């Protein structure tokens, strides 16, 4: 233990203090006032009128001068990093060269009967000391949190050998305070401290070495800060406990001190405000946040133990030393009554996953029947995901061969960081100038085929909105009201896009202005030419309608991954134009590299008039866009003003830009073609000879496996899920396995997929025979 804690305080009287000040620092004081200190003596020196002159600190005789030098160097370091931090910096002794970096030039030694005392002189900082924490406003709590983080940040690059000390106030040494338990007179408090130390040893100590560590203040409290009238910190006056420890040690002391007098809900509410302030400067790591309750309780326990022990030994006046013990004990009681797990959640940490059955019931109660039901007979409760693997609450991992939205992989750090960074900096709308949406639009335009004229971008927030806006553009520009879509298409949830989504029509009547056409079914050899398209145009014309637009998902996901090929697609496009309509390429499914090209319409060799983007665009962050030609946008602008509050906001744009970067950096597109090829081949060889499997088709990582019927498809999907692989189903009869993984899927995952498929098919065949 640091010997200063066991040594007696210095006991200089007023006359000696004035004498020392004059002789060692040329400070000519007429009076002094003892400001109170745990183990040192701190005096305010005043002139004849009682006006403050300086603050003098007389160190304990057991103080190691190296510690004082560390303190001086640390404060100088911090004030260089963050010059507006209101830090008490020890003055240079008279005669020292100005601006000296020699810490010894900031202290003088004074000999007394009990040994040498080091004396330091400080300028008087504004504000008053020892504010009662309970009076601090919410704004002050937040500001204290922010200040604590700034102090930590300012000390980040500092080190000094003396920082490796065993200062008991530093909570990493909390287990050592067990030897002090006997000094705690109040049995209730003793038991609380004992329980907290148990918890520290079992839960905190094992992970302590993984916490971010540096030289920290360790004692940011109302005793060591001056505050202005509003309770904001105007001075930090004591770096005497500075140690190399976990960064969050500072937060433990701030919480311990500021939460005094706050219990129950108010303790947690106030703590969250302090943590918000801290995280304005330094975001906390998940583990740091999770341990916040234990860290606060440990600091409270240490407070009780050390003060009780020092009182018992007669080192301090018990009333002064133990003044915080009752209130900090109440803070511990609050934490224990809530429980550690719940406390962590109330500080803002992620909680333990809830029980699946509870979640299903609660979902049903508040979400109701209109929302599509959960995937799988036994729902999957996902708690995390990385790359192509998703982890459920029960710890089981699933290979994701279904989700196209996290296109560069679940939880990609580049995208997650872009969102967090931009969210901290500024998020606003496109009425203000900002780089990211402009850059995103430029880069999207640059991906469109040369000479396509697709040079103008409108940002929205989803695929539905993109299609909705594209439809508005088409009707406005053409003056027509008819629409064409494929027989089982899906294009969105809005009124206009649901009308273009036969998949959603179900029981309702097809909308008057929409006609569908059947895409070619190469397996059965039907609808191979343009006749179905012509038929749809004729039926529209018979109702007096000309097409405003035809809309196509070029990988035909909902229709069951059918492939029109360039020749037929070209005919569709030509006929649409001839009838006065525009072509909308819906890239919500097929875009952003799914086919191995950036856009799925490219392989059809067509140039659309409108391109709509969504789903994978920002790897899961909601973003959508319409890309079109300038003259189309200009005609629209003649009739209306377009603005979407969130469309093109800097956070969404940063996420979408990160996706474009990763697609390039990880060379995703060339890999998609290869992986898709390998996956398709592997599925074909596993399914060869199985009468259930009628067709394996697809482009890139949009693969459909047509099976005999919807029930077989659903059973296969469930079978794969039981074997840890996630897929979906699609097609009018629901008889096509929808294999559409994140583009982070590689050939390494192919055997995982195919062995699960093989087992599922073998088991199904055995079931048939049984
Ligand atoms: N277009 C297509 C082709 C889609 O698959 C979807 C969504 N499944 C949408 C549009 C609608 O996108 P969102 O759900 O983001 O509104």
């Amino acid at each position: 233990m640091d010997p200063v804690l066991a040594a007696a305080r210095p006991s200089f009287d007023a006359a000696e203090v004035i004498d020392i000040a004059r002789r060692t620092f040329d400070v000519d004081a007429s009076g002094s006032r003892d400001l109170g200190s745990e183990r040192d003596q701190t005096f305010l020196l005043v002139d004849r009128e009682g006006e403050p002159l300086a603050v003098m600190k007389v160190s304990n005789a057991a103080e190691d001068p190296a510690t004082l030098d560390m303190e001086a160097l640390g404060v100088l370091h911090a004030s260089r990093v963050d010059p507006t931090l209101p830090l008490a910096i020890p003055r240079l002794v008279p005669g020292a060269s100005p601006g000296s970096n020699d810490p010894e030039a900031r202290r003088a030694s004074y000999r007394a009967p009990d040994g040498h005392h080091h004396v330091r002189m400080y300028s008087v900082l504004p504000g008053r000391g020892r504010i009662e924490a309970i009076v601090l406003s919410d704004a002050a709590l937040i500001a204290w949190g922010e200040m604590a983080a700034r102090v930590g940040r300012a000390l980040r690059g500092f080190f000094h050998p003396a920082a490796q000390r065993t200062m008991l106030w530093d909570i990493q040494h909390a287990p050592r305070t067990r030897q002090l338990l006997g000094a705690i007179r109040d049995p209730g408090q003793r038991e609380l401290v004992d329980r907290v130390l148990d918890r520290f040893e079992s839960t905190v100590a094992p992970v302590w070495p993984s916490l971010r560590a540096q030289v920290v203040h360790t004692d940011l409290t109302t005793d060591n800060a001056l505050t202005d009238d509003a309770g904001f910190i105007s001075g930090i006056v004591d770096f005497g406990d500075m140690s190399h420890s976990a960064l969050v040690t500072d937060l433990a002391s701030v919480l311990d001190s500021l939460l005094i007098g706050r219990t129950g809900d108010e303790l947690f509410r106030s703590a969250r405000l302090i943590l918000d302030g801290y995280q304005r400067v330094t975001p906390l790591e998940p583990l740091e946040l999770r341990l916040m309750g234990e860290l606060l309780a440990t600091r409270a326990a240490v407070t009780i133990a050390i003060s009780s022990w020092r009182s018992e030994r007669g080192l301090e006046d018990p009333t002064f030393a133990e003044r915080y013990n009752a209130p900090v004990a109440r803070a511990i009681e609050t934490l224990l009554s809530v429980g550690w797990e719940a406390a962590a959640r109330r500080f803002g940490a992620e909680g333990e996953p809830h029980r699946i059955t509870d979640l299903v019931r609660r979902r049903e109660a508040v979400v109701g029947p209109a929302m599509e039901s959960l995937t799988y007979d036994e729902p999957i409760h996902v708690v995390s995901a990385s790359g192509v693997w998703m982890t459920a609450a029960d710890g089981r991992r699933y290979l994701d061969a279904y989700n196209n939205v996290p296109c560069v992989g679940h939880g990609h750090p580049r995208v997650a960081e872009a969102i967090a960074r931009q969210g901290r900096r500024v998020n606003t709308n496109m009425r203000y100038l900002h780089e990211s949406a402009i850059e995103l639009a430029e880069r999207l335009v640059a991906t469109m085929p040369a000479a396509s004229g697709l040079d103008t971008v409108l940002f929205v927030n989803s695929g539905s909105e993109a299609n909705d806006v594209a439809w508005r553009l088409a009707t406005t520009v053409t003056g027509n009201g008819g629409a064409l879509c494929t027989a089982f298409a899906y294009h969105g949830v809005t009124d206009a896009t649901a009308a273009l989504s036969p998949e959603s029509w179900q029981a309702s009547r097809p909308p008057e202005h929409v006609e569908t056409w059947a895409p070619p079914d190469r397996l059965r050899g039907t609808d191979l030419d343009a006749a179905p398209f012509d038929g749809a145009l004729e039926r529209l014309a018979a109702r007096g309608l000309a097409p405003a637009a035809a809309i196509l998902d070029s990988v035909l996901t909902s229709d069951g991954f059918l492939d029109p090929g360039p020749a037929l697609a070209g005919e569709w496009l030509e006929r649409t134009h001839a009838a006065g309509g525009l072509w909308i390429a819906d890239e919500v499914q097929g875009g952003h590299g799914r086919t191995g090209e950036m856009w799925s319409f490219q392989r059809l060799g067509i140039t659309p008039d409108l391109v709509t983007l969504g789903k994978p665009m920002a790897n899961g962050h909601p973003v959508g866009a319409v890309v079109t030609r300038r003259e189309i946008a200009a005609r629209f602008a003649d009739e209306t003003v377009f603005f979407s509050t969130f469309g093109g906001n800097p956070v969404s744009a940063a996420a979408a830009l990160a996706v474009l970067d990763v697609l390039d950096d990880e060379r995703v597109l060339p890999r998609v073609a290869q992986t898709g090829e390998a996956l398709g081949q592997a599925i074909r060889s596993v399914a060869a000879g199985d009468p259930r499997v009628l067709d394996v088709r697809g482009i890139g990582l949009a693969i459909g496996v047509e099976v005999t019927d919807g029930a077989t498809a659903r059973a296969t999907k469930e079978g794969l899920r039981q074997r840890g692989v996630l897929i979906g189903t699609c097609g009018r009869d629901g008889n096509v396995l929808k294999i559409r993984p994140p583009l982070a899927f590689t050939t390494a995952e192919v055997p995982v997929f195919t062995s699960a498929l093989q087992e599922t098919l073998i088991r199904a065949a055995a079931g048939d025979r049984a």
Side-chain angles (χ1 to χ4, degrees):
M1 187 201 301
D2 202 309
V4 283
L5 279 186
R9 288 180 74 210
S11 53
F12 290 85
D13 63 23
E16 282 174 294
V17 166
I18 290 171
D19 181 50
I20 297 169
R22 185 175 303 117
R23 285 206 281 134
T24 53
F25 280 95
D26 282 347
V27 173
D28 200 5
S30 301
S32 72
R33 181 152 64 83
D34 190 338
L35 293 174
S37 170
E38 181 198 38
R39 51 187 190 261
D40 303 325
Q41 265 188 310
T42 307
F43 298 95
L44 179 69
L45 303 173
V46 296
D47 66 10
R48 219 171 302 279
E49 277 77 46
E51 289 298 314
L53 284 174
V55 172
M56 191 176 96
K57 198 161 176 175
V58 183
S59 294
N60 188 303
E63 189 74 83
D64 180 353
T67 306
L68 302 182
D69 292 349
M70 163 181 70
E71 229 182 282
L73 290 170
V75 174
L76 288 171
H77 179 101
S79 67
R80 270 195 303 275
V81 173
D82 188 347
T84 59
L85 275 178
L87 305 178
I89 301 175
R91 284 186 188 172
L92 289 166
V93 291
S97 68
S100 168
N101 269 333
D102 177 6
E104 286 185 40
R106 292 178 189 268
R107 57 179 163 85
S109 175
Y110 191 84
R111 207 178 144 69
D114 63 338
H116 274 95
H117 293 270
H118 296 280
V119 180
R120 288 167 295 168
M121 193 69 72
Y122 298 85
S123 300
V124 178
L125 290 173
R128 66 188 179 95
R130 298 214 169 89
I131 192 168
E132 267 200 66
I134 195 72
V135 308
L136 291 176
S137 67
D138 288 357
L141 294 176
I142 293 169
W144 273 72
E146 199 169 335
M147 188 63 87
R150 282 177 60 193
V151 171
R153 187 181 60 183
L155 283 171
R156 195 188 285 166
F158 175 72
F159 190 71
H160 189 282
Q164 232 139 27
R165 66 203 283 213
T166 308
M167 164 49 69
L168 263 200
W169 283 105
D170 170 0
I171 54 174
Q172 70 174 307
H173 305 301
R176 292 173 192 248
T177 57
R178 233 185 239 294
Q179 10 161 358
L180 315 181
L181 275 178
I184 305 173
R185 288 183 306 283
D186 180 322
Q189 287 184 6
R190 198 181 320 128
E191 198 213 317
L192 289 176
V193 172
D194 197 28
R195 283 177 69 183
V196 171
L197 294 180
D198 284 349
R199 178 73 183 176
F200 184 91
E201 282 172 350
S202 67
T203 307
V204 184
V207 294
W208 188 274
S210 67
L211 294 173
R212 282 183 288 183
Q214 60 169 72
V215 176
V216 286
H217 185 288
T218 78
D219 197 21
L220 287 169
T221 66
T222 52
D223 283 343
N224 289 334
L226 301 172
T227 45
D228 64 16
D229 292 344
F232 288 55
I233 291 180
S234 56
I236 297 172
V237 294
D238 185 359
F239 279 69
D241 289 351
M242 197 192 252
S243 303
H244 188 268
S245 190
L247 181 61
V248 278
T249 305
D250 279 348
L251 257 178
S253 65
V254 173
L255 292 175
D256 179 46
S257 176
L258 297 199
L259 297 178
I260 278 176
R262 302 179 196 240
T263 53
D265 290 347
E266 183 53 18
L267 178 142
F268 291 105
R269 191 189 73 87
S270 303
R272 288 192 295 268
L273 296 182
I274 297 166
L275 295 177
D276 283 347
Y278 193 92
Q279 298 207 74
R280 274 169 197 267
V281 178
T282 306
L284 292 167
E285 294 181 352
L287 177 63
E288 293 170 331
L289 203 50
R290 187 152 63 71
L291 294 179
M292 208 49 71
E294 282 87 346
L295 297 172
L296 160 60
T298 305
R299 174 70 185 198
V302 164
T303 300
I304 296 171
I306 297 179
S307 61
S308 301
W309 170 74
R310 285 179 56 84
S311 301
E312 186 192 52
R313 297 195 55 168
L315 293 166
E316 268 185 276
D317 166 40
T319 321
F320 179 76
E322 298 183 44
R323 65 199 182 285
Y324 297 133
N325 289 6
V328 301
R330 277 197 291 281
I332 298 177
E333 277 165 353
T334 296
L335 293 167
L336 290 175
S337 70
V338 168
W340 298 113
E341 280 300 330
R345 266 203 305 282
R346 294 183 70 174
F347 284 119
E350 276 182 14
E352 292 288 306
H354 292 214
R355 292 212 344 250
I356 276 199
T357 45
D358 288 348
L359 284 181
V360 170
R361 182 181 46 74
R362 285 168 54 198
R363 180 186 192 273
E364 179 56 33
V366 289
V367 174
M371 180 83 189
E372 194 176 12
S373 52
L374 289 159
T375 307
Y376 301 115
D377 296 343
E378 235 182 281
I380 297 180
H381 177 192
V382 186
V383 289
S384 65
S386 175
V388 290
W389 293 92
M390 299 175 85
T391 305
D394 60 5
R396 177 136 196 226
R397 288 186 356 127
Y398 293 89
L399 175 63
D400 184 3
Y402 179 69
N403 289 292
N404 57 339
V405 171
C407 79
V408 291
H410 288 277
H412 197 291
R414 190 96 62 94
V415 185
E417 278 308 310
I419 292 170
R421 198 179 318 119
Q422 191 58 49
R424 285 176 188 285
R425 182 181 284 257
V426 62
N427 199 17
T428 176
N429 63 63
M430 284 200 73
R431 288 202 185 100
Y432 298 97
L433 262 184
H434 189 272
E435 287 80 0
S436 53
I438 298 169
E439 186 188 337
L440 177 60
E442 289 167 348
R443 288 180 59 182
L444 288 172
V445 163
T447 63
M448 294 297 151
S452 66
L454 294 163
D455 58 1
T456 301
V457 183
L458 298 175
F459 287 115
V460 288
N461 316 290
S462 66
S464 300
E465 270 186 77
N467 285 331
D468 194 284
V469 171
W471 171 248
R472 265 183 83 194
L473 285 159
T475 51
T476 307
V477 169
T478 62
N480 297 338
L484 295 158
C485 60
T486 52
F488 202 62
Y490 180 81
H491 296 291
V493 289
T494 67
D495 208 27
T497 56
L500 303 173
S501 302
E503 190 192 51
S504 318
W505 293 347
Q506 298 197 359
S508 56
R509 240 161 37 96
E512 269 295 307
H513 67 289
V514 182
E515 271 301 335
T516 65
W517 85 91
D521 180 343
R522 300 196 188 284
L523 183 63
R524 293 171 187 80
T526 55
D527 305 314
L528 298 180
D529 60 16
F533 196 87
D534 289 335
L537 274 173
E538 280 158 23
R539 288 192 299 280
L540 269 188
R543 297 206 289 279
L545 289 165
I551 183 166
L552 180 72
D553 159 13
S554 301
V555 290
L556 289 108
T557 315
S558 297
D559 290 280
F561 292 118
L562 301 170
D563 183 6
L568 183 57
E571 288 183 54
W572 292 342
L573 178 85
E574 236 169 66
R575 283 164 160 80
T576 304
H577 282 165
L582 300 181
W583 189 265
I584 304 173
D586 178 340
E587 291 290 332
V588 172
Q589 286 281 349
H592 280 85
R594 178 136 310 265
T595 58
E597 287 181 287
M598 190 64 182
W599 309 115
S600 58
F601 68 77
Q602 289 176 276
R603 60 176 296 282
L604 298 182
I606 56 176
T607 303
D609 305 294
L610 298 138
V611 182
T612 56
L613 317 179
K615 281 179 185 275
M617 190 170 174
N619 215 43
H621 190 80
V623 188
V626 181
V627 188
T628 189
R629 293 195 301 276
R630 176 54 51 101
E631 85 256 16
I632 293 177
R635 287 277 302 282
F636 192 57
D638 288 342
E639 313 236 346
T640 185
V641 178
F642 176 81
F643 173 73
S644 160
T645 303
F646 296 134
N649 72 77
V651 170
S652 298
L657 281 170
V659 168
L660 294 181
D661 287 343
V662 176
L663 287 176
D664 278 348
D665 290 352
E666 296 184 3
R667 305 198 200 293
V668 173
L669 269 50
R671 192 184 62 212
V672 164
Q674 273 173 13
T675 311
E677 195 57 39
L679 182 58
Q681 285 300 346
I683 294 173
R684 268 181 213 105
S685 65
V686 164
D690 191 312
R692 278 176 203 75
V693 180
L694 308 181
D695 191 23
V696 181
R697 56 181 177 251
I699 304 128
L701 282 170
I703 296 176
V705 177
E706 184 160 346
V707 296
T708 42
D709 53 78
T712 303
R714 279 193 301 281
T716 310
K717 178 179 114 169
E718 292 288 345
L720 280 170
R721 178 247 196 260
Q722 281 157 20
R723 292 168 181 82
V725 173
L726 307 182
I727 63 158
T729 58
C730 57
R732 176 186 286 283
D733 300 322
N735 65 330
V736 181
L737 306 181
K738 188 177 184 181
I739 301 160
R740 190 196 51 177
L743 304 183
F745 201 94
T746 68
T747 45
E749 283 82 44
V750 169
V752 182
F753 182 92
T754 43
S755 68
L757 180 63
Q758 189 165 31
E759 280 177 35
T760 304
L761 294 174
I762 290 171
R763 172 60 66 92
D768 285 354
R769 282 193 299 274

